[in-house]
Coordinates of all heavy atoms in Angstrom, one line a residue:
N3 N -28.8 -4.5 42.7 CA -29.4 -5.8 42.5 C -29.7 -6.0 41.0 O -30.3 -5.1 40.4 CB -30.7 -5.9 43.3 CG -31.3 -7.3 43.3 OD1 -31.4 -8.0 42.3 ND2 -31.7 -7.7 44.5
F4 N -29.2 -7.1 40.4 CA -29.3 -7.3 39.0 C -30.7 -7.2 38.4 O -31.0 -6.6 37.4 CB -28.7 -8.7 38.6 CG -28.6 -9.0 37.2 CD1 -27.7 -8.2 36.4 CD2 -29.3 -10.0 36.6 CE1 -27.6 -8.5 35.0 CE2 -29.2 -10.2 35.3 CZ -28.3 -9.5 34.5
Q5 N -31.7 -7.9 39.1 CA -33.1 -8.0 38.7 C -33.7 -6.6 38.7 O -34.5 -6.2 37.8 CB -33.9 -8.9 39.4 CG -34.2 -8.5 40.9 CD -34.7 -9.6 41.7 OE1 -34.3 -10.7 41.6 NE2 -35.6 -9.3 42.6
E6 N -33.3 -5.8 39.7 CA -33.9 -4.4 39.8 C -33.4 -3.6 38.6 O -34.1 -2.7 38.1 CB -33.5 -3.8 41.1 CG -34.3 -4.4 42.3 CD -33.8 -3.9 43.6 OE1 -32.9 -3.1 43.7 OE2 -34.4 -4.3 44.6
E7 N -32.1 -3.7 38.2 CA -31.5 -3.0 37.1 C -32.3 -3.3 35.8 O -32.4 -2.5 35.0 CB -30.0 -3.3 37.0 CG -29.2 -2.7 38.1 CD -27.7 -3.0 37.9 OE1 -27.3 -3.1 36.8 OE2 -27.0 -3.0 38.9
L8 N -32.7 -4.6 35.7 CA -33.4 -5.0 34.5 C -34.9 -4.7 34.6 O -35.7 -4.9 33.6 CB -33.2 -6.5 34.2 CG -31.8 -6.9 33.9 CD1 -31.8 -8.4 33.8 CD2 -31.4 -6.3 32.6
S9 N -35.4 -4.3 35.8 CA -36.8 -4.1 36.1 C -37.7 -5.3 35.8 O -38.7 -5.2 35.2 CB -37.3 -2.9 35.2 OG -36.6 -1.7 35.6
V10 N -37.2 -6.5 36.3 CA -37.9 -7.7 36.1 C -38.0 -8.4 37.5 O -37.1 -8.2 38.3 CB -37.4 -8.7 35.1 CG1 -37.4 -8.1 33.7 CG2 -36.0 -9.1 35.4
S11 N -38.9 -9.3 37.7 CA -39.0 -10.0 38.9 C -38.0 -11.2 38.9 O -37.5 -11.6 37.9 CB -40.4 -10.6 39.1 OG -40.7 -11.6 38.2
T12 N -37.8 -11.7 40.1 CA -36.9 -12.8 40.3 C -37.4 -14.0 39.5 O -36.7 -14.7 38.8 CB -36.8 -13.2 41.7 OG1 -36.3 -12.1 42.5 CG2 -35.9 -14.4 42.0
V13 N -38.8 -14.2 39.5 CA -39.4 -15.3 38.8 C -39.2 -15.2 37.3 O -38.8 -16.1 36.6 CB -40.9 -15.5 39.2 CG1 -41.6 -16.5 38.3 CG2 -41.0 -15.8 40.6
T14 N -39.4 -14.0 36.8 CA -39.3 -13.7 35.4 C -37.8 -14.0 34.9 O -37.6 -14.6 33.9 CB -39.7 -12.3 35.0 OG1 -41.1 -12.1 35.4 CG2 -39.5 -12.0 33.5
L15 N -36.9 -13.5 35.7 CA -35.5 -13.7 35.4 C -35.1 -15.2 35.4 O -34.4 -15.7 34.6 CB -34.6 -12.9 36.4 CG -33.1 -12.8 36.1 CD1 -32.9 -12.2 34.7 CD2 -32.5 -11.9 37.1
S16 N -35.6 -15.9 36.4 CA -35.3 -17.3 36.5 C -35.9 -18.1 35.4 O -35.2 -19.0 34.8 CB -35.9 -17.8 37.9 OG -35.6 -19.2 38.0
V17 N -37.1 -17.8 35.0 CA -37.7 -18.5 33.8 C -37.0 -18.2 32.6 O -36.7 -19.1 31.7 CB -39.2 -18.1 33.7 CG1 -39.8 -18.5 32.4 CG2 -40.0 -18.6 34.9
A18 N -36.6 -16.9 32.4 CA -35.8 -16.6 31.2 C -34.5 -17.3 31.1 O -34.0 -17.8 30.1 CB -35.6 -15.0 31.1
F19 N -33.8 -17.4 32.3 CA -32.6 -18.1 32.4 C -32.7 -19.6 32.0 O -32.0 -20.1 31.2 CB -32.0 -18.0 33.8 CG -30.6 -18.6 34.0 CD1 -29.5 -17.8 33.8 CD2 -30.5 -19.9 34.2 CE1 -28.2 -18.4 34.0 CE2 -29.2 -20.5 34.4 CZ -28.1 -19.7 34.3
K20 N -33.8 -20.2 32.6 CA -34.0 -21.6 32.3 C -34.3 -21.8 30.8 O -33.9 -22.8 30.2 CB -35.1 -22.2 33.2 CG -35.3 -23.7 33.0 CD -36.3 -24.3 33.9 CE -36.4 -25.8 33.6 NZ -37.3 -26.4 34.4
N21 N -35.1 -20.9 30.3 CA -35.5 -21.1 28.8 C -34.3 -20.9 27.9 O -34.2 -21.5 26.9 CB -36.6 -20.1 28.5 CG -37.9 -20.4 29.1 OD1 -38.2 -21.6 29.4 ND2 -38.8 -19.4 29.2
T22 N -33.3 -20.1 28.4 CA -32.1 -19.8 27.6 C -31.0 -20.9 27.8 O -30.5 -21.4 26.8 CB -31.5 -18.5 27.9 OG1 -32.5 -17.4 27.7 CG2 -30.3 -18.1 27.1
V23 N -30.8 -21.2 29.0 CA -29.7 -22.1 29.4 C -30.1 -23.6 29.4 O -29.3 -24.5 29.2 CB -29.0 -21.7 30.7 CG1 -27.9 -22.6 31.1 CG2 -28.5 -20.3 30.6
G24 N -31.4 -23.8 29.8 CA -31.9 -25.2 29.9 C -32.0 -25.7 31.3 O -32.5 -26.9 31.4
I25 N -31.4 -25.1 32.3 CA -31.5 -25.5 33.6 C -31.8 -24.3 34.5 O -31.6 -23.2 34.1 CB -30.3 -26.2 34.1 CG1 -29.0 -25.4 34.1 CG2 -30.1 -27.5 33.4 CD1 -27.8 -26.0 34.6
R26 N -32.3 -24.6 35.8 CA -32.6 -23.5 36.7 C -31.3 -22.8 37.1 O -30.2 -23.5 37.2 CB -33.3 -24.0 37.9 CG -34.6 -24.7 37.7 CD -35.2 -25.2 38.9 NE -34.3 -26.1 39.6 CZ -34.5 -26.6 40.8 NH1 -35.5 -26.3 41.5 NH2 -33.6 -27.4 41.4
P27 N -31.3 -21.5 37.5 CA -30.1 -20.8 37.9 C -29.4 -21.5 39.1 O -28.2 -21.6 39.2 CB -30.6 -19.4 38.3 CG -31.9 -19.3 37.5 CD -32.5 -20.6 37.4
S28 N -30.2 -22.0 40.0 CA -29.6 -22.7 41.2 C -28.9 -24.0 40.8 O -27.8 -24.3 41.4 CB -30.7 -23.0 42.3 OG -31.7 -23.8 41.7
D29 N -29.4 -24.7 39.8 CA -28.7 -25.9 39.4 C -27.5 -25.5 38.6 O -26.4 -26.2 38.7 CB -29.7 -26.7 38.5 CG -30.8 -27.3 39.2 OD1 -30.7 -27.5 40.4 OD2 -31.9 -27.6 38.6
Y30 N -27.5 -24.5 37.8 CA -26.3 -24.0 37.1 C -25.2 -23.6 38.1 O -24.1 -24.0 37.9 CB -26.7 -22.8 36.3 CG -25.6 -22.2 35.4 CD1 -25.3 -22.8 34.2 CD2 -24.9 -21.1 35.8 CE1 -24.3 -22.3 33.4 CE2 -23.9 -20.5 35.1 CZ -23.6 -21.1 33.9 OH -22.6 -20.6 33.1
L31 N -25.6 -22.9 39.1 CA -24.6 -22.5 40.2 C -24.0 -23.7 40.9 O -22.8 -23.9 41.1 CB -25.2 -21.5 41.2 CG -24.3 -21.1 42.3 CD1 -23.0 -20.4 41.8 CD2 -25.1 -20.2 43.2
S32 N -24.9 -24.7 41.2 CA -24.5 -25.9 41.8 C -23.5 -26.7 41.0 O -22.5 -27.2 41.5 CB -25.7 -26.8 42.2 OG -25.3 -27.9 42.8
N33 N -23.8 -26.7 39.7 CA -22.9 -27.4 38.7 C -21.5 -26.8 38.7 O -20.5 -27.5 38.7 CB -23.5 -27.5 37.3 CG -24.7 -28.4 37.2 OD1 -25.0 -29.1 38.1 ND2 -25.4 -28.3 36.1
I34 N -21.5 -25.5 38.7 CA -20.2 -24.7 38.7 C -19.4 -25.0 40.0 O -18.2 -25.3 39.9 CB -20.4 -23.2 38.5 CG1 -20.9 -22.9 37.1 CG2 -19.2 -22.4 38.9 CD1 -21.4 -21.5 36.9
R35 N -20.1 -25.0 41.1 CA -19.5 -25.3 42.4 C -18.9 -26.7 42.4 O -17.8 -27.0 42.9 CB -20.5 -25.2 43.5 CG -20.9 -23.7 43.9 CD -21.9 -23.7 44.9 NE -22.0 -22.4 45.5 CZ -23.0 -22.1 46.4 NH1 -23.9 -23.0 46.8 NH2 -23.0 -20.9 46.9
M36 N -19.7 -27.7 41.9 CA -19.2 -29.1 41.9 C -18.0 -29.3 41.0 O -17.1 -30.0 41.3 CB -20.4 -30.0 41.6 CG -21.5 -30.1 42.6 SD -20.9 -30.7 44.2 CE -21.2 -29.3 45.2
E37 N -18.1 -28.7 39.8 CA -16.9 -28.8 38.9 C -15.7 -28.2 39.5 O -14.6 -28.7 39.4 CB -17.2 -28.1 37.6 CG -18.2 -28.9 36.8 CD -17.8 -30.4 36.4 OE1 -16.6 -30.6 36.1 OE2 -18.6 -31.3 36.5
E38 N -15.8 -27.0 40.2 CA -14.7 -26.4 40.9 C -14.2 -27.3 42.1 O -13.0 -27.5 42.3 CB -15.0 -25.0 41.4 CG -13.9 -24.4 42.2 CD -12.6 -24.0 41.4 OE1 -12.6 -24.3 40.2 OE2 -11.7 -23.6 42.0
A39 N -15.1 -27.9 42.8 CA -14.8 -28.9 43.9 C -14.0 -30.0 43.3 O -13.0 -30.5 43.9 CB -16.0 -29.3 44.6
K40 N -14.4 -30.6 42.2 CA -13.7 -31.7 41.6 C -12.3 -31.3 41.2 O -11.3 -32.0 41.5 CB -14.4 -32.2 40.3 CG -15.7 -33.0 40.6 CD -16.6 -33.2 39.4 CE -15.9 -33.7 38.2 NZ -16.9 -34.0 37.1
R41 N -12.1 -30.1 40.7 CA -10.8 -29.6 40.4 C -9.9 -29.4 41.6 O -8.8 -29.9 41.6 CB -10.9 -28.2 39.6 CG -9.5 -27.7 39.1 CD -9.6 -26.3 38.7 NE -9.8 -25.3 39.8 CZ -8.8 -25.0 40.6 NH1 -7.6 -25.5 40.5 NH2 -9.0 -24.1 41.6
L42 N -10.5 -28.8 42.6 CA -9.7 -28.6 43.9 C -9.4 -30.0 44.5 O -8.3 -30.1 45.1 CB -10.5 -27.8 44.9 CG -10.7 -26.3 44.5 CD1 -11.7 -25.6 45.4 CD2 -9.3 -25.6 44.5
L43 N -10.3 -30.9 44.5 CA -10.0 -32.2 45.1 C -8.9 -33.0 44.3 O -8.1 -33.8 44.9 CB -11.3 -33.1 45.1 CG -12.3 -32.6 46.1 CD1 -13.6 -33.3 45.8 CD2 -11.8 -32.9 47.5
T44 N -8.8 -32.7 43.0 CA -7.8 -33.4 42.2 C -6.5 -32.7 42.2 O -5.4 -33.3 42.2 CB -8.3 -33.5 40.7 OG1 -9.6 -34.2 40.7 CG2 -7.4 -34.3 39.8
D45 N -6.5 -31.3 42.2 CA -5.3 -30.5 41.9 C -4.7 -30.0 43.2 O -3.6 -29.4 43.1 CB -5.6 -29.4 41.0 CG -6.0 -29.8 39.6 OD1 -5.8 -31.0 39.3 OD2 -6.5 -29.0 38.9
T46 N -5.3 -30.2 44.4 CA -4.8 -29.6 45.6 C -4.8 -30.7 46.7 O -5.5 -31.7 46.5 CB -5.5 -28.4 46.1 OG1 -6.8 -28.8 46.6 CG2 -5.7 -27.3 45.0
E47 N -4.2 -30.4 47.8 CA -4.2 -31.2 49.0 C -5.1 -30.6 50.1 O -4.9 -30.9 51.2 CB -2.8 -31.5 49.5 CG -2.0 -32.4 48.5 CD -0.6 -32.6 48.9 OE1 -0.1 -31.9 49.8 OE2 0.0 -33.5 48.4
L48 N -5.9 -29.6 49.7 CA -6.8 -29.0 50.7 C -7.6 -30.0 51.4 O -8.1 -31.0 50.8 CB -7.8 -28.0 50.0 CG -7.2 -26.7 49.4 CD1 -8.2 -26.0 48.6 CD2 -6.7 -25.8 50.5
L49 N -7.9 -29.8 52.7 CA -8.8 -30.6 53.4 C -10.2 -30.5 52.8 O -10.6 -29.5 52.2 CB -8.9 -30.2 54.9 CG -7.6 -30.3 55.7 CD1 -7.8 -29.7 57.1 CD2 -7.2 -31.7 55.8
I50 N -11.0 -31.6 52.9 CA -12.3 -31.5 52.3 C -13.2 -30.4 52.8 O -13.9 -29.7 52.1 CB -13.0 -32.9 52.4 CG1 -12.3 -33.9 51.6 CG2 -14.5 -32.8 52.1 CD1 -12.7 -35.4 51.8
R51 N -13.1 -30.1 54.1 CA -13.8 -29.0 54.7 C -13.4 -27.7 54.0 O -14.2 -26.8 53.9 CB -13.8 -29.0 56.2 CG -12.4 -28.6 56.8 CD -12.5 -28.4 58.3 NE -11.2 -28.3 58.8 CZ -10.5 -29.2 59.4 NH1 -10.9 -30.4 59.5 NH2 -9.3 -28.9 59.9
D52 N -12.1 -27.5 53.7 CA -11.6 -26.3 53.1 C -12.1 -26.2 51.6 O -12.4 -25.1 51.1 CB -10.1 -26.2 53.1 CG -9.6 -26.1 54.6 OD1 -10.4 -25.5 55.4 OD2 -8.5 -26.5 54.9
V53 N -12.2 -27.4 50.9 CA -12.8 -27.4 49.6 C -14.2 -27.0 49.7 O -14.7 -26.1 48.9 CB -12.6 -28.8 48.9 CG1 -13.4 -28.8 47.6 CG2 -11.1 -29.1 48.7
S54 N -14.9 -27.5 50.6 CA -16.3 -27.2 50.8 C -16.5 -25.7 51.0 O -17.4 -25.0 50.3 CB -16.8 -27.9 52.1 OG -18.1 -27.5 52.5
I55 N -15.7 -25.0 51.8 CA -15.8 -23.6 52.0 C -15.4 -22.8 50.8 O -16.1 -21.9 50.4 CB -14.9 -23.2 53.2 CG1 -15.5 -23.7 54.5 CG2 -14.7 -21.7 53.3 CD1 -14.6 -23.6 55.7
A56 N -14.4 -23.3 50.1 CA -13.9 -22.6 48.9 C -15.0 -22.6 47.8 O -15.0 -21.6 47.0 CB -12.7 -23.3 48.4
V57 N -15.9 -23.6 47.8 CA -16.9 -23.6 46.7 C -18.3 -23.1 47.2 O -19.3 -23.2 46.5 CB -17.0 -24.9 46.0 CG1 -15.7 -25.3 45.3 CG2 -17.4 -26.0 47.0
G58 N -18.3 -22.5 48.5 CA -19.5 -21.9 48.9 C -20.4 -22.6 49.9 O -21.5 -22.2 50.1
Y59 N -19.9 -23.7 50.4 CA -20.7 -24.5 51.4 C -20.0 -24.3 52.8 O -18.9 -24.7 53.0 CB -20.7 -26.0 51.0 CG -21.5 -26.3 49.8 CD1 -20.9 -26.3 48.6 CD2 -22.9 -26.4 49.9 CE1 -21.6 -26.6 47.4 CE2 -23.6 -26.7 48.7 CZ -23.0 -26.8 47.5 OH -23.7 -27.0 46.4
E60 N -20.8 -23.8 53.7 CA -20.3 -23.6 55.1 C -20.3 -24.9 55.8 O -19.5 -25.2 56.7 CB -21.1 -22.6 55.8 CG -20.9 -21.2 55.3 CD -21.7 -20.1 56.1 OE1 -22.0 -20.4 57.2 OE2 -21.9 -19.1 55.5
D61 N -21.2 -25.8 55.5 CA -21.4 -27.1 56.2 C -20.8 -28.2 55.3 O -21.4 -28.5 54.2 CB -22.9 -27.3 56.5 CG -23.1 -28.6 57.2 OD1 -22.3 -29.6 57.2 OD2 -24.2 -28.7 57.9
D62 N -19.7 -28.8 55.7 CA -19.1 -29.8 54.8 C -19.9 -31.1 54.7 O -19.8 -31.8 53.8 CB -17.7 -30.1 55.3 CG -17.5 -30.6 56.7 OD1 -18.3 -30.1 57.6 OD2 -16.7 -31.4 57.0
H63 N -20.9 -31.3 55.6 CA -21.8 -32.5 55.5 C -22.8 -32.2 54.4 O -23.0 -33.2 53.6 CB -22.5 -32.7 56.8 CG -21.6 -33.1 57.9 ND1 -20.9 -34.3 58.0 CD2 -21.2 -32.4 59.0 CE1 -20.1 -34.3 59.1 NE2 -20.3 -33.2 59.7
V64 N -23.3 -31.0 54.2 CA -24.2 -30.7 53.1 C -23.4 -30.8 51.8 O -23.8 -31.4 50.8 CB -24.8 -29.3 53.3 CG1 -25.5 -28.8 52.0 CG2 -25.7 -29.2 54.5
F65 N -22.2 -30.3 51.8 CA -21.3 -30.4 50.6 C -21.1 -31.8 50.2 O -21.2 -32.2 49.0 CB -20.0 -29.7 50.9 CG -18.9 -30.0 49.9 CD1 -19.0 -29.5 48.6 CD2 -17.8 -30.8 50.2 CE1 -18.0 -29.8 47.6 CE2 -16.9 -31.2 49.2 CZ -17.0 -30.6 48.0
T66 N -20.8 -32.7 51.2 CA -20.5 -34.1 50.9 C -21.7 -34.8 50.3 O -21.6 -35.5 49.3 CB -20.1 -34.8 52.2 OG1 -18.8 -34.3 52.6 CG2 -19.9 -36.3 51.9
R67 N -22.9 -34.5 50.8 CA -24.2 -35.1 50.3 C -24.4 -34.6 48.9 O -24.7 -35.4 48.0 CB -25.4 -34.7 51.2 CG -25.6 -35.6 52.4 CD -26.9 -35.5 53.0 NE -27.4 -34.1 53.2 CZ -27.1 -33.3 54.3 NH1 -26.4 -33.8 55.3 NH2 -27.6 -32.1 54.3
R68 N -24.2 -33.3 48.6 CA -24.5 -32.8 47.3 C -23.4 -33.3 46.3 O -23.7 -33.6 45.1 CB -24.6 -31.3 47.3 CG -25.8 -30.8 48.0 CD -26.1 -29.4 48.0 NE -27.3 -29.0 48.7 CZ -27.6 -27.8 49.0 NH1 -26.9 -26.8 48.7 NH2 -28.7 -27.6 49.6
F69 N -22.2 -33.4 46.7 CA -21.1 -33.8 45.9 C -21.4 -35.3 45.5 O -21.2 -35.7 44.3 CB -19.7 -33.7 46.6 CG -18.6 -34.0 45.7 CD1 -18.0 -33.0 44.9 CD2 -18.0 -35.3 45.6 CE1 -16.9 -33.3 44.1 CE2 -17.0 -35.6 44.8 CZ -16.4 -34.6 44.0
K70 N -21.8 -36.1 46.5 CA -22.1 -37.5 46.2 C -23.2 -37.6 45.2 O -23.2 -38.5 44.3 CB -22.4 -38.3 47.4 CG -22.5 -39.8 47.2 CD -22.6 -40.6 48.4 CE -22.7 -42.1 48.0 NZ -22.7 -42.9 49.2
K71 N -24.2 -36.8 45.3 CA -25.4 -36.8 44.4 C -24.9 -36.4 43.0 O -25.4 -37.0 42.0 CB -26.5 -35.9 44.9 CG -27.7 -35.9 44.1 CD -28.8 -35.0 44.6 CE -30.0 -35.0 43.7 NZ -31.1 -34.1 44.2
Y72 N -24.0 -35.5 42.9 CA -23.5 -35.0 41.6 C -22.6 -36.0 40.9 O -22.7 -36.2 39.7 CB -22.8 -33.6 41.8 CG -22.4 -32.9 40.6 CD1 -23.3 -32.3 39.8 CD2 -21.1 -32.9 40.2 CE1 -22.9 -31.6 38.6 CE2 -20.7 -32.3 39.0 CZ -21.6 -31.6 38.3 OH -21.2 -31.0 37.1
T73 N -21.7 -36.6 41.7 CA -20.6 -37.4 41.1 C -20.8 -38.9 41.3 O -20.2 -39.7 40.6 CB -19.2 -37.1 41.7 OG1 -19.2 -37.4 43.1 CG2 -18.9 -35.6 41.5
G74 N -21.6 -39.3 42.3 CA -21.8 -40.7 42.6 C -20.8 -41.2 43.7 O -20.8 -42.4 44.0
S75 N -19.9 -40.3 44.1 CA -19.0 -40.7 45.2 C -18.7 -39.6 46.1 O -19.0 -38.4 45.8 CB -17.6 -41.2 44.6 OG -17.0 -40.1 43.8
T76 N -18.3 -39.9 47.3 CA -18.0 -38.8 48.3 C -16.7 -38.1 47.9 O -16.0 -38.6 47.0 CB -17.8 -39.4 49.7 OG1 -16.6 -40.2 49.7 CG2 -19.0 -40.3 50.2
P77 N -16.5 -36.9 48.4 CA -15.3 -36.2 48.0 C -14.0 -37.0 48.3 O -13.1 -37.1 47.5 CB -15.3 -34.9 48.9 CG -16.8 -34.7 49.1 CD -17.4 -36.1 49.2
G78 N -14.0 -37.7 49.5 CA -12.8 -38.6 49.8 C -12.7 -39.7 48.8 O -11.5 -40.0 48.4
Q79 N -13.8 -40.4 48.4 CA -13.7 -41.4 47.5 C -13.2 -40.9 46.1 O -12.4 -41.5 45.4 CB -15.0 -42.1 47.3 CG -15.5 -42.9 48.5 CD -17.0 -43.3 48.4 OE1 -17.8 -42.6 47.7 NE2 -17.3 -44.4 49.0
Y80 N -13.8 -39.8 45.7 CA -13.4 -39.1 44.4 C -11.9 -38.9 44.4 O -11.3 -39.2 43.4 CB -14.2 -37.8 44.3 CG -14.0 -37.1 42.9 CD1 -14.7 -37.5 41.8 CD2 -13.0 -36.2 42.8 CE1 -14.5 -36.9 40.6 CE2 -12.8 -35.5 41.6 CZ -13.6 -35.9 40.5 OH -13.3 -35.3 39.3
R81 N -11.4 -38.3 45.5 CA -10.0 -38.0 45.5 C -9.2 -39.3 45.5 O -8.2 -39.4 44.8 CB -9.7 -37.2 46.8 CG -8.3 -36.7 47.0 CD -8.2 -35.8 48.2 NE -8.2 -34.5 47.7 CZ -8.2 -33.4 48.5 NH1 -8.4 -33.6 49.8 NH2 -8.2 -32.2 48.0
A82 N -9.5 -40.2 46.3 CA -8.8 -41.5 46.4 C -8.7 -42.2 45.1 O -7.7 -42.8 44.7 CB -9.3 -42.4 47.5
D83 N -9.8 -42.2 44.3 CA -9.9 -42.8 43.0 C -8.9 -42.2 42.0 O -8.6 -42.9 41.1 CB -11.3 -42.7 42.5 CG -12.3 -43.6 43.2 OD1 -11.9 -44.5 44.0 OD2 -13.5 -43.4 43.0
R84 N -8.5 -41.0 42.3 CA -7.6 -40.3 41.4 C -6.2 -40.3 42.0 O -5.3 -39.6 41.5 CB -8.1 -38.9 41.2 CG -9.2 -39.0 40.2 CD -10.3 -37.9 40.4 NE -11.4 -38.1 39.4 CZ -12.4 -39.0 39.7 NH1 -12.4 -39.7 40.8 NH2 -13.3 -39.2 38.8
G85 N -6.0 -41.0 43.1 CA -4.7 -41.1 43.7 C -4.2 -39.9 44.4 O -3.0 -39.7 44.6
V86 N -5.1 -39.0 44.9 CA -4.8 -37.8 45.6 C -5.3 -38.0 47.0 O -6.4 -38.4 47.2 CB -5.4 -36.6 44.9 CG1 -5.1 -35.3 45.7 CG2 -5.1 -36.5 43.5
Y87 N -4.4 -37.6 48.0 CA -4.8 -37.7 49.4 C -4.5 -36.4 50.0 O -3.5 -35.8 49.8 CB -4.1 -38.9 50.0 CG -4.3 -40.2 49.4 CD1 -3.5 -40.6 48.3 CD2 -5.5 -40.9 49.7 CE1 -3.8 -41.9 47.7 CE2 -5.8 -42.1 49.1 CZ -4.9 -42.6 48.1 OH -5.2 -43.7 47.4
E88 N -5.4 -36.0 50.9 CA -5.2 -34.8 51.7 C -4.2 -35.0 52.8 O -4.1 -36.1 53.4 CB -6.5 -34.2 52.2 CG -7.2 -35.0 53.3 CD -8.5 -34.5 53.7 OE1 -9.3 -34.0 52.8 OE2 -8.9 -34.7 54.8
K89 N -3.4 -33.9 53.1 CA -2.5 -34.0 54.2 C -3.3 -33.7 55.5 O -4.2 -32.9 55.5 CB -1.4 -32.9 54.1 CG -0.5 -33.2 53.0 CD 0.7 -32.2 52.9 CE 1.6 -32.6 51.8 NZ 2.7 -31.6 51.7
R90 N -3.0 -34.4 56.5 CA -3.6 -34.2 57.8 C -2.8 -33.4 58.8 O -1.6 -33.5 58.8 CB -4.1 -35.5 58.4 CG -5.1 -36.2 57.5 CD -5.7 -37.4 58.1 NE -6.6 -37.9 57.2 CZ -8.0 -37.8 57.3 NH1 -8.5 -37.1 58.2 NH2 -8.7 -38.3 56.4

């Protein structure tokens, strides 16, 4: 466990991360996941549920809600706006 190796608490590590990077670790991870999802939606024909799983969301409904909050559009809308359609 990373925090144990540093001999610091989760809270201390989280605060240090936020002070250094400017956002919470969970938000940082979410941003990375959403950027990868955008790439997969644009560059592949994976089904949305497969994109969801690929970026760490087991529930594609949760993924869709978070993706829409992050981008302003659903994964399907995002893909369609870029002229990419998944194969069925």
